Amino acid sequence: MSTPESQPPSEDAASVSKKAAKKEAAKQEKLRRRQEQEALAAATRSLAVDDEQDPLAANYGDVPLNEIQSKTVEDVSRWTEVGALTNTLENRSVLIRGRAQTIRAVGKNMAFVVVRERGFTVQCVATVQPDTVSRQMVKYVAGLSRESIIDIEGVVSAPSVEIKGTTQQVEVQVRKVYCVSKAAVLPINIEDAARSDAEIEKALQAGEKLVRVNQDTRLNNRVLDLRTPANQGIFRIQSQVGNIFRQFLLSEDFFEIHTPKLIAGSSEGGAAVFRLDYKGQPACLAQSPQLHKQMAICGDFGRVFEIGGVYRAEDSYTHRHLCEFIGLDVEMEIKSHYSEVMDIVGRLFVTIFDTLNKTCEKELEAVGRQYPFEPLKYLPETLRLTFEEGIQMLKDAGVEVDPMGDLNTEVERKLGQLVLEKYGTEFYILHRYPLAVRPFYTMPCHDNHAYSNSFDVFIRGEEIISGAQRVHVPELLAERAQACGIELKTISTYIDAFRYGAPPHGGFGVGLERVVMLFCGLNNIRKTSLFPRDPLRIAP
Amino acid sequence: MSTPESQPPSEDAASVSKKAAKKEAAKQEKLRRRQEQEALAAATRSLAVDDEQDPLAANYGDVPLNEIQSKTVEDVSRWTEVGALTNTLENRSVLIRGRAQTIRAVGKNMAFVVVRERGFTVQCVATVQPDTVSRQMVKYVAGLSRESIIDIEGVVSAPSVEIKGTTQQVEVQVRKVYCVSKAAVLPINIEDAARSDAEIEKALQAGEKLVRVNQDTRLNNRVLDLRTPANQGIFRIQSQVGNIFRQFLLSEDFFEIHTPKLIAGSSEGGAAVFRLDYKGQPACLAQSPQLHKQMAICGDFGRVFEIGGVYRAEDSYTHRHLCEFIGLDVEMEIKSHYSEVMDIVGRLFVTIFDTLNKTCEKELEAVGRQYPFEPLKYLPETLRLTFEEGIQMLKDAGVEVDPMGDLNTEVERKLGQLVLEKYGTEFYILHRYPLAVRPFYTMPCHDNHAYSNSFDVFIRGEEIISGAQRVHVPELLAERAQACGIELKTISTYIDAFRYGAPPHGGFGVGLERVVMLFCGLNNIRKTSLFPRDPLRIAP
């Protein structure tokens, strides 16, 4: 039975650094206290309901569990999506399901509920009316808890004045309302989590102190945090990046592979590897699909790509590192030059950017409302500079760097600025890196072995892609590994794969979360990982 | 620098069971001896080359490394793909790159090479001719080692007789030939690995003993094994399954998520979990994305899917279990009934089958040549039977089973036969399973708590999909977990996710490798995993 499904793994509390945790706990406690008071107030209001029998009781109430256990097959087209509620439906009766985002009573005869479904919101109004809406029903509506899932049957009306604070420009006059799933008191409010810093500052200047939800609180309550319009947008954009990546590559005669993440032995990388016991054998999690995607090329797969998990046990506490992320990997035969790989990179990413701008307008807007950003500047033909040219640009700008060393994050950012000023693009390729700063499997340049047939690609001054022509000659591969201090016997299987005829090839790897982060100008990679994993966080 | 790329993890030798390993070693040794003799003979032939200076020496030879280190950017359109060589190119000069699949000399003036590129093959002929092809060149061609990567420049000719043994019905008259990458002596020959059992039997009856390459030898030499036409087909079909899965779901308003595989604590599952140390905390690899895909639904994602690694440390030595496989997972809000999930399953898989039959004709043919199979029988509208109906069919056929127990593999196969006979389909859904045989998070039926709102789906009598409506009520979830003997504190994060309003929802999971295996009627899941991981194998 049921192999692909199983019982969900358990999760312990997140381990956050003690100092941050303490501060966080105090904040949470304060927040919770406020919310408990609110809840108590709501409960008190609810208790005040007069108990008289209501002949209209069938029009509202909590749905008994039994009714939502697949009792009847209903025509799902009975429901209208909140996002589809427009004035073309005026005077029509509709059935909607969504969350009670905010609830507000006005006296005893009227209550407002803003219902939210997948980021879209509509205002619903329950007004006491003979034969349809009773006072008790209005009280029931007023007593709903925030974020509860409710079904509302009602009639669409289109007020002549603009409706503020909802995405939909119509209202629903409530006829029936049922609560499908009750929410407990919330640790964070969605409106608080959805607020931009600018809004908080503006309110502060006007003397009002609004709640600011910090990153750790968000991640500890990720299920609530994900409900904000910005997050609804971010993960739809992420899905679209993966989709465009695949569709572009499929159209270029690549196909998709899945390489194993469980690898025998312990990687030569040492500290940066997650080790585990595999049926009594030492094993580890793949730090990249490098080995196996190259083996697929040796297996005559020609052009391949993979979208899969990448695992790094590094102690990186930066805004751009995760211990688990999604790698977009490409590997391909080349006829003669690594520029063939850079051609793919250039066209692929221009396609990704173009298509996102075209198809994710609403999502990008939603992200921008909370986290304002400038649209990415890029050229139709991707700019390529050699590493030497980059060094020269830095030098001309008075930045002294080791011409044969690697660039650090700060220098990369500076170079990004210089490139933007000179060429008007925030997306470019820097190639022909010094050999010494690249992995051992990188092909040295034909004319100067101090350089290599490799490249990095930058968005808004940050590296997102790394690629190269690979060494396909086993003897040279062994020589390079030794020169890099790697014990040959630990990579013998890898080297052996090239002994039976290996086509010249190259490829590259990209982090999905980084692409989304940098395209949207976000400041932290944790914002683009659904349930991020860093050295301090492995939950929820 | 280069974060998504890193040094490839090392790999130890595969750990295969001792007995099998010994047998395998002997076989390998024998094979190798034969191949070394062949190589020696070839080398001897090569040594016999007369050493006289050849004025045509520039037309052939080994390409120096320097030339394939991205020395010049060449127009890749200079090369013609082997698969594109047809008689419309007659008398045209072409440049091809591929592997020397077989090499055969006829006297001193003629040599044949079959060149293979991504499964396509063409015969190339080098004949001594004044001013173009020297005797030394013919000798050079005859001395090429099998599976070497070569560039051939030549003229296409279309012989009037049928060419046997190649996919392309033209020949190439060799003018120039260069070896790009030399292959060492092969541990297995591609023709041997590509042979069907039927061919071996037929030859045996004619008194000829052909080499049969067994599964372990194939997997130990996976890079060579992957070059067979059947494997070239299998993994292109696999890629296409993933593609259709995603395109169908995207068109139905689902979007793609990526959930973490690194999970805190140790799963309640016990033995079947890979444990690891996460920065000093106990952690494990996700046995399914169950928890997190449900959390995405609680985060208002509405309809999601995921394609990602699934890790099971089970000691299953069957033809259908792997320790690492690719899960195709779906989770969605439902309005009222789990039949909404079954609707998606039915339409999704009919789309997958239809599209494979239409778009992968060549690939399916290639698989069928080595592993003959009957096309899958399925209905345009997917058959649904209740578990009770299934039990009754078995009973009527004289098969006694526990009406409230699970079905074992043998009984499932029997039921598959009965369904095929009665309904003419090898693809069907069995639903309303006894609650006791399903995971704790499965929603019980509204009318009988001994049954559940769940289903399994079968192809050719084997289960491939498992799905259900989930319990979205935290109190019931806790109750069900306790009833199943699960300690609540180990799953508190999971249960908490449902406290802030949870939409009724359901979903399912499928193993990608199983879909491909069963659609193609293959007998072992190791055939559809690129680098399979089972309790005895973690390499290459």
Side-chain angles (χ1 to χ4, degrees):
Chain A
M1 193 219 74
S2 64
T3 305
E5 298 207 329
S6 79
Q7 301 185 346
S10 69
E11 304 236 337
D12 290 338
S15 146
V16 284
S17 76
K18 295 235 167 124
K19 226 173 172 179
K22 212 169 166 185
K23 198 173 155 195
E24 173 59 25
K27 209 166 188 174
Q28 283 261 10
E29 182 51 36
K30 203 171 147 195
L31 206 61
R32 204 157 281 170
R33 228 175 7 242
R34 197 172 65 81
Q35 286 158 349
E36 274 169 16
Q37 283 163 3
E38 263 179 30
L40 189 65
T44 313
R45 279 197 302 276
S46 180
L47 282 173
V49 173
D50 34 342
D51 260 323
E52 74 201 49
Q53 200 65 11
D54 182 5
L56 297 171
N59 289 351
Y60 62 94
D62 296 350
V63 181
L65 174 58
N66 178 270
E67 291 289 324
I68 36 181
Q69 278 181 293
S70 301
K71 191 172 177 183
T72 43
V73 179
E74 299 206 46
D75 179 5
V76 296
S77 70
R78 282 180 61 213
W79 275 268
T80 304
E81 283 187 19
V82 169
L85 292 173
T86 60
N87 54 17
T88 58
L89 293 173
E90 200 175 354
N91 297 323
R92 293 269 288 279
S93 178
V94 293
L95 170 65
I96 60 174
R97 176 175 293 175
R99 291 188 185 276
Q101 178 170 283
T102 49
I103 305 104
R104 185 165 54 92
V106 177
K108 288 189 170 181
N109 292 333
M110 206 176 189
F112 295 89
V113 195
V114 171
V115 174
R116 191 187 71 238
E117 187 185 25
R118 301 188 204 175
F120 298 99
T121 44
V122 70
Q123 176 150 280
C124 302
V125 192
T127 317
V128 171
Q129 278 173 25
D131 302 332
T132 48
V133 178
S134 63
R135 220 179 208 203
Q136 290 95 325
M137 177 161 157
V138 169
K139 275 180 183 160
Y140 175 80
V141 170
L144 286 169
S145 59
R146 288 178 178 205
E147 296 298 300
S148 290
I149 307 275
I150 54 174
D151 275 357
I152 284 185
E153 227 179 282
V155 177
V156 177
S157 65
S160 52
V161 293
E162 197 201 342
I163 305 175
K164 282 187 180 165
T166 59
T167 61
Q168 306 312 109
Q169 286 305 304
V170 292
E171 283 186 347
V172 175
Q173 305 301 324
V174 179
R175 292 289 170 269
K176 294 179 180 175
V177 55
Y178 305 102
C179 182
V180 173
S181 173
K182 254 187 203 170
V185 177
L186 306 173
I188 55 173
N189 280 324
I190 309 305
E191 299 133 282
D192 292 337
R195 199 167 282 139
S196 71
D197 279 355
E199 202 183 330
I200 294 171
E201 295 310 318
K202 203 178 149 190
L204 204 60
Q205 279 164 13
E208 193 190 359
K209 200 162 182 244
L210 297 176
V211 173
R212 187 198 302 263
V213 187
N214 78 15
Q215 179 103 302
D216 263 327
T217 307
R218 288 175 189 281
L219 295 180
N220 290 337
N221 299 284
R222 190 62 161 166
V223 164
L224 288 165
D225 182 43
L226 289 175
R227 298 178 191 171
T228 63
N231 277 334
Q232 293 285 318
I234 284 171
F235 292 97
R236 280 175 174 81
I237 292 166
Q238 193 194 68
S239 170
Q240 181 67 330
V241 170
N243 185 36
I244 309 164
F245 177 83
R246 280 188 299 252
Q247 291 312 308
F248 176 86
L249 292 170
L250 287 170
S251 78
E252 295 276 334
D253 215 19
F254 286 76
F255 70 99
E256 186 174 21
I257 57 169
H258 301 282
T259 64
K261 306 310 164 202
L262 294 170
I263 306 290
S266 59
S267 177
E268 77 284 2
V273 136
F274 286 111
R275 291 164 205 290
L276 56 95
D277 174 80
Y278 189 91
K279 301 278 160 194
Q281 280 189 76
C284 67
L285 293 180
Q287 286 176 290
S288 87
Q290 188 63 31
L291 162 66
H292 289 95
K293 69 176 180 172
Q294 287 190 258
M295 286 172 85
I297 296 298
C298 294
D300 282 0
F301 279 22
R303 306 184 129 194
V304 294
F305 67 90
E306 176 166 14
I307 298 188
V310 173
Y311 304 92
R312 306 269 167 96
E314 287 164 304
D315 284 323
S316 297
Y317 300 85
T318 76
H319 75 285
R320 51 187 262 113
H321 285 93
L322 290 170
C323 289
E324 175 172 9
F325 64 89
I326 297 298
L328 308 178
D329 267 90
V330 169
E331 201 71 21
M332 59 189 272
E333 289 181 10
I334 60 175
K335 293 299 183 200
S336 67
H337 201 285
Y338 69 99
S339 66
E340 296 165 40
V341 183
M342 294 194 292
D343 285 346
I344 293 288
V345 170
R347 289 192 295 119
L348 167 61
F349 275 80
V350 168
T351 304
I352 289 177
F353 303 151
D354 283 351
T355 313
L356 284 181
N357 283 332
K358 212 161 51 190
T359 61
C360 292
E361 224 174 321
K362 275 187 183 178
E363 287 80 3
L364 291 166
E365 220 179 271
V367 177
R369 268 198 303 277
Q370 182 164 6
Y371 308 111
F373 69 96
E374 286 295 310
L376 184 74
K377 292 181 187 69
Y378 61 97
L379 305 170
E381 187 91 18
T382 302
L383 174 70
R384 294 179 195 181
L385 298 170
T386 63
F387 187 83
E388 276 180 297
E389 288 168 336
I391 294 289
Q392 190 59 49
M393 282 177 74
L394 287 164
K395 211 171 167 182
D396 293 347
V399 184
E400 275 307 323
V401 287
D402 175 2
M404 298 312 283
D406 208 353
L407 307 178
N408 64 33
T409 308
E410 197 191 330
V411 171
E412 286 178 345
R413 210 177 287 253
K414 178 69 190 166
L415 184 56
Q417 274 173 20
L418 297 172
V419 169
L420 176 59
E421 285 159 20
K422 185 165 175 187
Y423 299 99
T425 181
E426 295 172 298
F427 177 73
Y428 73 99
I429 300 177
L430 195 66
H431 65 111
R432 241 182 105 96
Y433 270 70
L435 183 63
V437 304
R438 307 299 290 202
F440 75 93
Y441 50 77
T442 310
M443 185 66 96
C445 286
H446 73 282
D447 55 345
N448 185 344
H449 286 199
Y451 288 95
S452 63
N453 296 334
S454 63
F455 59 88
D456 275 6
V457 186
F458 297 86
I459 301 186
R460 301 190 200 262
E462 291 197 34
E463 179 259 312
I464 50 148
I465 305 175
S466 204
Q469 180 184 2
R470 324 295 187 184
V471 176
H472 64 278
V473 183
E475 295 76 19
L476 179 58
L477 197 55
E479 188 189 309
R480 290 291 311 138
Q482 277 180 310
C484 292
I486 294 161
E487 244 191 287
L488 284 191
K489 72 169 201 276
T490 63
I491 52 164
S492 63
T493 314
Y494 173 68
I495 293 177
D496 285 347
F498 298 92
R499 296 201 191 281
Y500 308 114
H505 64 289
F508 59 93
V510 196
L512 173 60
E513 294 83 354
R514 279 193 192 174
V515 175
V516 179
M517 172 178 80
L518 293 169
F519 186 76
C520 295
L522 295 166
N523 62 1
N524 198 311
I525 200 154
R526 289 157 189 80
K527 288 196 171 75
T528 58
S529 173
L530 193 56
F531 295 99
R533 298 293 184 248
D534 65 30
L536 296 176
R537 177 176 292 281
I538 190 179
Chain B
M1 193 219 73
S2 63
T3 306
E5 297 207 329
S6 81
Q7 302 187 345
S10 69
E11 304 236 340
D12 291 338
S15 146
V16 283
S17 76
K18 293 236 167 127
K19 226 173 173 178
K22 212 169 166 186
K23 199 174 155 194
E24 174 58 26
K27 208 165 188 176
Q28 284 259 10
E29 183 51 37
K30 203 171 148 193
L31 206 63
R32 204 157 281 170
R33 228 172 9 241
R34 198 171 65 82
Q35 287 158 347
E36 274 169 16
Q37 283 163 1
E38 264 179 28
L40 189 65
T44 314
R45 280 198 301 277
S46 179
L47 282 173
V49 173
D50 33 343
D51 259 323
E52 73 201 49
Q53 201 62 12
D54 182 2
L56 297 171
N59 290 352
Y60 61 96
D62 296 351
V63 181
L65 174 58
N66 178 271
E67 292 289 325
I68 35 180
Q69 279 181 290
S70 302
K71 191 172 176 182
T72 42
V73 179
E74 300 205 45
D75 178 7
V76 296
S77 70
R78 284 180 59 214
W79 275 267
T80 304
E81 282 187 20
V82 169
L85 293 172
T86 58
N87 53 16
T88 59
L89 294 173
E90 200 174 355
N91 297 324
R92 294 269 287 278
S93 179
V94 293
L95 171 63
I96 60 173
R97 178 173 292 175
R99 291 187 185 277
Q101 179 170 284
T102 50
I103 305 102
R104 186 166 52 93
V106 177
K108 288 189 169 179
N109 293 333
M110 207 175 189
F112 295 90
V113 196
V114 171
V115 174
R116 189 187 72 238
E117 187 184 27
R118 302 189 204 176
F120 297 99
T121 46
V122 69
Q123 176 150 279
C124 302
V125 192
T127 317
V128 171
Q129 278 173 26
D131 302 332
T132 47
V133 178
S134 63
R135 224 182 205 200
Q136 290 95 322
M137 176 162 157
V138 169
K139 276 181 181 158
Y140 175 79
V141 170
L144 286 167
S145 60
R146 288 178 178 203
E147 295 297 301
S148 291
I149 306 275
I150 55 174
D151 275 357
I152 285 184
E153 226 180 283
V155 176
V156 176
S157 65
S160 53
V161 293
E162 199 202 339
I163 305 174
K164 282 187 181 166
T166 59
T167 60
Q168 306 311 109
Q169 286 303 305
V170 293
E171 283 187 346
V172 175
Q173 305 302 322
V174 179
R175 291 290 169 266
K176 294 180 180 173
V177 56
Y178 305 101
C179 182
V180 173
S181 172
K182 254 186 203 172
V185 177
L186 306 172
I188 56 173
N189 280 324
I190 309 306
E191 300 133 284
D192 292 337
R195 200 167 282 138
S196 71
D197 280 355
E199 203 184 329
I200 294 171
E201 295 309 321
K202 203 177 148 191
L204 204 61
Q205 279 164 14
E208 193 190 359
K209 199 162 182 246
L210 297 176
V211 172
R212 186 197 304 260
V213 186
N214 77 17
Q215 178 104 302
D216 263 328
T217 308
R218 288 176 189 281
L219 296 180
N220 290 337
N221 299 284
R222 190 62 161 164
V223 164
L224 289 164
D225 183 41
L226 289 175
R227 299 178 190 170
T228 63
N231 277 334
Q232 294 284 317
I234 284 170
F235 292 97
R236 280 175 174 82
I237 292 167
Q238 194 194 68
S239 171
Q240 181 67 330
V241 171
N243 185 35
I244 310 164
F245 177 82
R246 279 187 300 253
Q247 292 312 307
F248 175 86
L249 291 171
L250 287 171
S251 77
E252 295 275 336
D253 215 19
F254 286 76
F255 71 100
E256 186 174 20
I257 57 169
H258 300 282
T259 65
K261 305 309 161 201
L262 293 170
I263 306 289
S266 59
S267 177
E268 78 283 4
V273 136
F274 287 111
R275 290 166 206 287
L276 55 95
D277 174 81
Y278 188 92
K279 302 279 161 194
Q281 281 189 75
C284 67
L285 293 180
Q287 285 175 289
S288 87
Q290 188 64 31
L291 162 66
H292 288 95
K293 70 177 180 171
Q294 286 190 259
M295 286 171 85
I297 296 299
C298 294
D300 282 359
F301 279 22
R303 305 185 130 195
V304 295
F305 68 89
E306 176 165 15
I307 299 188
V310 173
Y311 303 91
R312 307 268 167 96
E314 287 163 305
D315 284 323
S316 296
Y317 300 85
T318 75
H319 75 286
R320 51 188 261 112
H321 285 93
L322 290 170
C323 290
E324 175 173 9
F325 64 89
I326 298 299
L328 309 178
D329 267 89
V330 169
E331 202 72 20
M332 59 189 271
E333 289 180 10
I334 60 175
K335 293 299 185 203
S336 67
H337 200 285
Y338 68 100
S339 67
E340 296 166 40
V341 183
M342 295 195 293
D343 285 346
I344 293 288
V345 170
R347 290 192 295 119
L348 167 61
F349 276 80
V350 167
T351 304
I352 290 177
F353 302 151
D354 282 353
T355 313
L356 285 181
N357 283 331
K358 213 161 52 191
T359 61
C360 291
E361 223 174 322
K362 275 187 183 178
E363 287 81 2
L364 290 165
E365 219 178 273
V367 177
R369 268 198 304 275
Q370 182 164 5
Y371 308 111
F373 68 96
E374 287 294 311
L376 184 74
K377 291 183 188 67
Y378 60 97
L379 305 171
E381 187 91 20
T382 302
L383 174 71
R384 295 179 194 180
L385 297 170
T386 64
F387 187 83
E388 275 180 299
E389 287 168 338
I391 295 289
Q392 190 59 49
M393 283 177 74
L394 286 163
K395 210 172 169 183
D396 293 347
V399 184
E400 276 305 326
V401 288
D402 175 0
M404 298 312 283
D406 207 354
L407 307 178
N408 65 32
T409 309
E410 198 191 328
V411 170
E412 286 178 344
R413 209 176 287 254
K414 178 68 190 166
L415 183 57
Q417 272 173 22
L418 297 173
V419 169
L420 176 58
E421 284 160 20
K422 186 164 175 187
Y423 299 99
T425 181
E426 293 171 300
F427 177 72
Y428 73 99
I429 299 176
L430 195 66
H431 65 111
R432 242 182 105 96
Y433 270 69
L435 183 63
V437 304
R438 307 299 289 203
F440 75 92
Y441 50 77
T442 310
M443 185 65 96
C445 287
H446 72 283
D447 56 344
N448 185 344
H449 287 198
Y451 287 96
S452 63
N453 296 335
S454 64
F455 60 89
D456 275 6
V457 186
F458 297 86
I459 300 186
R460 299 190 200 263
E462 292 197 36
E463 179 259 313
I464 50 148
I465 304 174
S466 204
Q469 180 184 0
R470 324 296 186 183
V471 176
H472 64 279
V473 183
E475 295 75 19
L476 178 59
L477 197 55
E479 186 191 311
R480 289 291 311 137
Q482 276 180 313
C484 292
I486 294 162
E487 243 192 286
L488 284 191
K489 73 168 198 263
T490 64
I491 52 164
S492 62
T493 314
Y494 173 68
I495 293 177
D496 285 348
F498 298 92
R499 297 200 192 280
Y500 309 114
H505 64 289
F508 59 93
V510 195
L512 173 61
E513 294 84 352
R514 279 194 191 171
V515 175
V516 179
M517 172 178 81
L518 292 170
F519 186 77
C520 295
L522 295 166
N523 62 1
N524 198 311
I525 200 154
R526 288 158 189 81
K527 288 196 171 75
T528 58
S529 173
L530 193 55
F531 295 99
R533 298 292 184 251
D534 65 29
L536 296 176
R537 177 175 292 280
I538 190 180

